[in-house]
Amino acid sequence: MKQTIFTITENTSLTATVYRMVLVGDTAGITTGQFVNILLEGQFLRRPISVCDCQGDALTLVYKVVGKGTRQMSEMVPGQTLDVLTGLGNGYDLTKAGDVPLLLGGGVGVPPLYMLARLLRSQGKAVSVVLGFNTQDEVFYEDEFKALGCTVTVTTADGSYGVKGFVTDALPEAYSYFYTCGPEPMLKAVYKATATSGQFSFEERMGCGFGACMGCSCKVITGYKRICKEGPVLTKEEILWDA
Amino acid sequence: MGRLSVNLCGIELDNPIIPASGTFGFGYEFAELYDINELGTFSFKGTTKGPRFGNPTPRIAECTAGMINAVGLQNPGVDKVIAEELPKLKKCFHKPVMANVSGFAIEDYAYTCERLDKEEQVGWLEVNVSCPNVHGGGMSFGTSPEAAAQVTAAVKKVTTKPVIIKLSPNVTDIVSIAKACEDAGADGISLINTMLGMRIDLRTKKPVIANKMGGFSGPAIFPVAVRMVYQVANAVNIPVIGMGGVSTAEDVMELMLAGATAVEVGAANLVNPYASRDIIRALPEAMDKYGIENLSDIIGQAK
């Protein structure tokens, strides 16, 4: 964990509610699947946001406006600074990927898969990506994943774009391992529909985001884990649903 | 003895700053960032007789200038705390630590305190009487002078370490409860624990927290802390530890003027992991500004 002041260099909308913010600062120690925790003026608790990408000193966050904190973030402009805690959480483990890994993202669960896809592609893996959204207007990052050389399928629940249905309706026939992030109903469906082992990234309301308050604990096969510290990524074998 | 030092129940503290239980774990997360020996001490995660997972999530809700938590005393139980947490802590913290103890029956408190009494690293026992009494219809020990006194007496019987009773502010007469604890042998009083609060999500039309209600903390409750510390410190002859929304060196001095011998910092640690250290470092300059030579001189000075 590290506390750093970042400077915003870009903050643009990708859809009506999803924004991409690029920040420049000390990114040392940030790994794929981690999150950062952002202090916002006038809000008491920090906002945990997943890392979409991190290259050089540039940190990319893709976030959805859901409340007053993320609304405030969306109104910030290049040049403004943010107090950010970085290096938080246990991210994705790339060593398990195999040769043909599958990435499954739903809605605002798509962003954390981007850096993972980029790193897996740089290792020469044939990466399949399925991105699920509710409707065509909400689709984002299809081109970005394609530009990495991934095989990309988009699903929409209402069928307005791509394959009609959910990410689980568009699973490829063969894959060596999977990584997923999205709303909990989607994660549960992925858990049931997948044929291999895999890693799931979870979301929870957090107090501190660095393991001190026990606000985000969940039960797992071996006991309990803190989503912010031992998570947000858990393996398929250790997950206990409805615990 | 430095300008910041205070004496808490016979043990000298380099400074009066104590991260509050439940906001500092067993110290390791913070020891990654700075040398936690800079603290006066800290009060470790509330420990019970057996292990507890705590409440379902969500356990956290944000509020204006504060937060609500309903963690539910998640902890590995006193045996594991002694076997695993204390040896780990020894590597990064070399001062006496404050052991925070909770229970759901008087026997539980006595059992846990008796175990911790044998641990050299433990300087003080801070006994949280805000938990519901399972034999008393679920009412919190801390809401009745009799029950709080019974817990105090039971704990005093099993330990020679200073016993500090941590009081809940969710009562009509805090002074009578503090006095009952003092009469039962308490060596100190700490207050205030969190205030009972609740938030409702307008979109789901349901409580934000799974447990519905939880403990409200943060700067919003600071004036209540000042008031209650003042009332209690003027009524008892044992040291008082003040807490509740402390986030600056000025807050520390204000609580000490109200009568606090030492000051705990809680929710602020969760927002800024350096908060307790920053407050300690800011104290000398803040004291200069108000013409305070030694912090211990101002304890209870406000009349």
Coordinates of all heavy atoms in Angstrom, one line a residue, chain B residues 170-218:
Chain B
N170 N -24.7 5.4 24.3 CA -26.2 5.2 24.0 C -27.0 5.0 25.3 O -27.6 4.0 25.5 CB -26.4 4.1 23.0 CG -25.6 4.3 21.8 OD1 -25.6 5.4 21.2 ND2 -24.8 3.3 21.4
V171 N -26.8 6.0 26.2 CA -27.4 5.8 27.6 C -28.0 7.2 28.0 O -27.6 8.2 27.4 CB -26.3 5.4 28.6 CG1 -25.8 4.0 28.3 CG2 -25.2 6.4 28.7
T172 N -28.8 7.2 29.0 CA -29.4 8.4 29.5 C -28.5 9.1 30.5 O -28.5 10.3 30.6 CB -30.8 8.2 30.1 OG1 -30.7 7.1 31.0 CG2 -31.8 7.9 29.0
D173 N -27.8 8.3 31.3 CA -26.9 8.9 32.3 C -25.6 8.3 32.4 O -25.3 7.4 33.1 CB -27.7 8.8 33.7 CG -26.9 9.5 34.8 OD1 -25.9 10.1 34.6 OD2 -27.3 9.3 36.0
I174 N -24.6 8.8 31.6 CA -23.3 8.3 31.5 C -22.5 8.3 32.8 O -21.7 7.5 33.1 CB -22.5 9.0 30.3 CG1 -21.2 8.2 29.9 CG2 -22.2 10.4 30.6 CD1 -21.4 7.1 29.0
V175 N -22.8 9.4 33.6 CA -22.1 9.6 34.8 C -22.3 8.5 35.8 O -21.4 8.0 36.5 CB -22.4 11.0 35.4 CG1 -21.9 11.1 36.8 CG2 -21.8 12.1 34.5
S176 N -23.6 8.1 35.9 CA -23.9 7.0 36.9 C -23.2 5.7 36.5 O -22.8 5.0 37.4 CB -25.4 6.9 37.0 OG -25.9 6.3 35.8
I177 N -23.1 5.5 35.3 CA -22.5 4.2 34.8 C -21.0 4.3 35.1 O -20.4 3.3 35.6 CB -22.8 3.9 33.3 CG1 -24.3 3.7 33.2 CG2 -22.0 2.8 32.8 CD1 -24.8 3.8 31.8
A178 N -20.4 5.4 34.8 CA -18.9 5.6 35.0 C -18.6 5.5 36.5 O -17.6 4.8 36.9 CB -18.5 6.9 34.5
K179 N -19.4 6.1 37.3 CA -19.2 6.0 38.8 C -19.4 4.6 39.3 O -18.6 4.1 40.2 CB -20.2 6.9 39.5 CG -19.8 8.4 39.5 CD -20.8 9.3 40.1 CE -20.3 10.1 41.3 NZ -21.3 11.1 41.7
A180 N -20.3 3.8 38.7 CA -20.5 2.4 39.2 C -19.3 1.6 38.8 O -18.9 0.8 39.6 CB -21.8 1.9 38.5
C181 N -18.7 1.9 37.7 CA -17.5 1.2 37.3 C -16.3 1.5 38.2 O -15.6 0.7 38.6 CB -17.1 1.5 35.8 SG -18.3 0.8 34.7
E182 N -16.2 2.8 38.5 CA -15.2 3.2 39.4 C -15.3 2.6 40.8 O -14.4 2.0 41.4 CB -15.2 4.8 39.6 CG -14.1 5.3 40.5 CD -14.2 6.8 40.7 OE1 -15.3 7.4 40.7 OE2 -13.1 7.4 40.9
D183 N -16.6 2.6 41.3 CA -16.8 1.9 42.6 C -16.5 0.4 42.6 O -16.2 -0.1 43.6 CB -18.3 2.2 43.0 CG -18.6 3.6 43.3 OD1 -17.6 4.4 43.5 OD2 -19.8 4.0 43.3
A184 N -16.7 -0.2 41.4 CA -16.4 -1.6 41.3 C -14.9 -1.9 41.1 O -14.6 -3.1 40.9 CB -17.3 -2.2 40.2
G185 N -14.1 -0.9 41.0 CA -12.7 -1.1 41.0 C -12.0 -0.7 39.7 O -10.8 -1.0 39.5
A186 N -12.7 -0.2 38.7 CA -12.1 0.2 37.4 C -10.9 1.1 37.7 O -11.0 2.0 38.5 CB -13.1 0.8 36.5
D187 N -9.9 1.0 36.9 CA -8.7 1.8 36.9 C -8.8 3.0 36.0 O -8.0 3.9 36.1 CB -7.4 1.0 36.6 CG -7.3 -0.2 37.6 OD1 -6.9 0.1 38.8 OD2 -7.6 -1.3 37.2
G188 N -9.7 2.9 35.0 CA -9.9 4.0 34.1 C -11.2 3.8 33.3 O -11.8 2.7 33.4
I189 N -11.6 4.9 32.6 CA -12.8 4.8 31.8 C -12.4 5.3 30.4 O -11.7 6.3 30.3 CB -13.9 5.8 32.4 CG1 -14.3 5.4 33.8 CG2 -15.1 5.9 31.4 CD1 -15.1 4.2 33.9
S190 N -12.9 4.6 29.4 CA -12.7 5.2 28.0 C -14.1 5.4 27.4 O -15.0 4.6 27.6 CB -11.8 4.3 27.2 OG -12.3 3.1 26.9
L191 N -14.2 6.5 26.7 CA -15.5 6.8 26.0 C -15.2 7.9 25.0 O -14.2 8.7 25.2 CB -16.5 7.2 27.1 CG -16.5 8.6 27.7 CD1 -17.8 8.9 28.4 CD2 -15.3 8.8 28.7
I192 N -16.0 8.0 23.9 CA -17.2 7.2 23.8 C -17.1 6.2 22.7 O -16.4 6.4 21.7 CB -18.4 8.2 23.4 CG1 -18.1 9.0 22.1 CG2 -18.8 9.1 24.5 CD1 -19.3 9.8 21.6
N193 N -17.7 5.0 22.9 CA -17.9 4.1 21.8 C -18.8 4.7 20.8 O -19.2 5.8 20.9 CB -18.5 2.8 22.4 CG -18.1 1.5 21.6 OD1 -18.0 1.6 20.4 ND2 -17.9 0.4 22.3
T194 N -19.1 3.9 19.7 CA -19.9 4.5 18.6 C -21.4 4.7 19.1 O -21.9 4.1 20.0 CB -20.0 3.5 17.4 OG1 -20.4 2.3 17.9 CG2 -18.6 3.4 16.8
M195 N -22.0 5.6 18.4 CA -23.4 5.9 18.7 C -24.3 5.1 17.7 O -24.0 5.0 16.5 CB -23.7 7.4 18.4 CG -22.8 8.3 19.3 SD -23.2 10.0 19.1 CE -24.7 10.1 20.1
L196 N -25.4 4.6 18.2 CA -26.3 3.8 17.4 C -26.9 4.6 16.2 O -27.4 5.7 16.5 CB -27.4 3.1 18.2 CG -28.1 2.0 17.6 CD1 -27.2 0.8 17.3 CD2 -29.2 1.5 18.6
G197 N -26.7 4.1 15.0 CA -27.2 4.9 13.9 C -27.7 4.0 12.8 O -27.6 2.7 12.9
M198 N -28.3 4.6 11.7 CA -28.9 3.8 10.6 C -29.0 4.6 9.4 O -29.2 5.8 9.5 CB -30.3 3.3 11.1 CG -31.0 2.5 10.1 SD -32.5 1.8 10.9 CE -33.3 1.0 9.5
R199 N -28.8 4.0 8.2 CA -29.0 4.6 6.9 C -29.9 3.7 6.1 O -29.9 2.5 6.2 CB -27.7 4.8 6.2 CG -26.7 5.8 6.8 CD -27.2 7.2 7.0 NE -27.7 7.9 5.9 CZ -27.0 8.6 5.0 NH1 -25.7 8.8 5.2 NH2 -27.6 9.3 4.1
I200 N -30.7 4.4 5.2 CA -31.6 3.6 4.3 C -31.3 4.0 2.9 O -31.1 5.2 2.6 CB -33.1 3.9 4.7 CG1 -33.4 3.3 6.1 CG2 -34.0 3.3 3.6 CD1 -34.7 3.8 6.7
D201 N -31.2 3.1 2.0 CA -30.9 3.3 0.6 C -32.2 3.6 -0.1 O -33.1 2.9 -0.1 CB -30.3 2.0 0.0 CG -29.8 2.2 -1.4 OD1 -30.4 2.9 -2.2 OD2 -28.8 1.6 -1.8
L202 N -32.2 4.8 -0.8 CA -33.5 5.3 -1.4 C -33.8 4.4 -2.6 O -35.0 4.3 -2.9 CB -33.3 6.7 -1.8 CG -33.2 7.8 -0.7 CD1 -33.0 9.2 -1.3 CD2 -34.5 7.7 0.2
R203 N -32.8 3.9 -3.3 CA -33.1 3.0 -4.5 C -33.7 1.7 -4.1 O -34.7 1.3 -4.7 CB -31.8 2.8 -5.3 CG -31.4 4.0 -6.1 CD -30.1 3.8 -6.7 NE -29.1 3.6 -5.7 CZ -27.9 3.1 -5.9 NH1 -27.4 2.9 -7.1 NH2 -27.0 3.0 -4.9
T204 N -33.1 1.0 -3.1 CA -33.6 -0.3 -2.7 C -34.7 -0.2 -1.6 O -35.4 -1.1 -1.4 CB -32.5 -1.2 -2.1 OG1 -32.0 -0.5 -1.0 CG2 -31.4 -1.3 -3.1
K205 N -34.8 1.0 -1.0 CA -35.7 1.2 0.1 C -35.5 0.3 1.3 O -36.4 0.0 2.0 CB -37.2 1.2 -0.4 CG -37.4 2.2 -1.5 CD -38.8 2.2 -2.0 CE -39.1 3.4 -3.0 NZ -38.1 3.3 -4.2
K206 N -34.3 -0.1 1.4 CA -33.9 -1.0 2.5 C -32.7 -0.4 3.3 O -32.0 0.4 2.8 CB -33.4 -2.4 2.0 CG -34.6 -3.2 1.4 CD -34.0 -4.5 0.8 CE -35.1 -5.4 0.2 NZ -34.6 -6.4 -0.7
P207 N -32.5 -0.9 4.5 CA -31.3 -0.4 5.3 C -30.1 -0.7 4.5 O -30.0 -1.7 3.8 CB -31.4 -1.2 6.6 CG -32.8 -1.6 6.7 CD -33.3 -1.8 5.3
V208 N -29.1 0.2 4.5 CA -27.8 0.0 3.8 C -27.1 -1.2 4.4 O -26.5 -2.0 3.7 CB -27.0 1.3 3.9 CG1 -25.6 1.1 3.3 CG2 -27.7 2.4 3.1
I209 N -27.1 -1.2 5.7 CA -26.3 -2.3 6.5 C -27.2 -3.5 6.7 O -28.4 -3.4 7.0 CB -25.8 -1.7 7.8 CG1 -24.7 -0.7 7.5 CG2 -25.4 -2.7 8.8 CD1 -24.1 -0.1 8.7
A210 N -26.6 -4.7 6.4 CA -27.3 -5.9 6.6 C -27.9 -6.1 8.0 O -29.0 -6.6 8.2 CB -26.4 -7.1 6.3
N211 N -27.2 -5.6 9.0 CA -27.6 -5.7 10.4 C -28.6 -4.6 10.7 O -29.0 -4.4 11.9 CB -26.4 -5.6 11.3 CG -26.6 -6.0 12.7 OD1 -27.2 -7.1 12.9 ND2 -26.2 -5.2 13.6
K212 N -29.0 -3.8 9.7 CA -29.9 -2.7 9.8 C -29.3 -1.5 10.5 O -29.1 -0.4 10.0 CB -31.2 -3.0 10.5 CG -32.1 -4.0 9.7 CD -33.5 -4.1 10.2 CE -34.3 -5.0 9.4 NZ -34.2 -6.5 9.7
M213 N -28.9 -1.7 11.8 CA -28.3 -0.6 12.6 C -26.8 -0.9 12.8 O -26.3 -2.0 12.8 CB -29.0 -0.4 13.9 CG -30.4 0.0 13.7 SD -31.3 -0.2 15.3 CE -33.0 -0.4 14.7
G214 N -26.1 0.2 13.2 CA -24.7 0.0 13.5 C -24.1 1.2 14.3 O -24.9 2.1 14.7
G215 N -22.8 1.2 14.5 CA -22.2 2.2 15.3 C -21.7 3.4 14.4 O -20.9 3.2 13.5
F216 N -22.2 4.6 14.8 CA -21.9 5.8 14.0 C -20.6 6.4 14.7 O -20.5 6.6 15.9 CB -23.1 6.7 14.1 CG -22.9 8.1 13.4 CD1 -22.2 8.2 12.3 CD2 -23.5 9.2 14.0 CE1 -22.1 9.4 11.6 CE2 -23.4 10.4 13.3 CZ -22.7 10.5 12.2
S217 N -19.6 6.7 13.8 CA -18.4 7.3 14.3 C -17.9 8.3 13.3 O -18.5 8.5 12.3 CB -17.3 6.2 14.5 OG -17.0 5.6 13.2
G218 N -16.8 9.0 13.7 CA -16.3 10.0 12.8 C -16.5 11.4 13.3 O -17.1 11.6 14.4

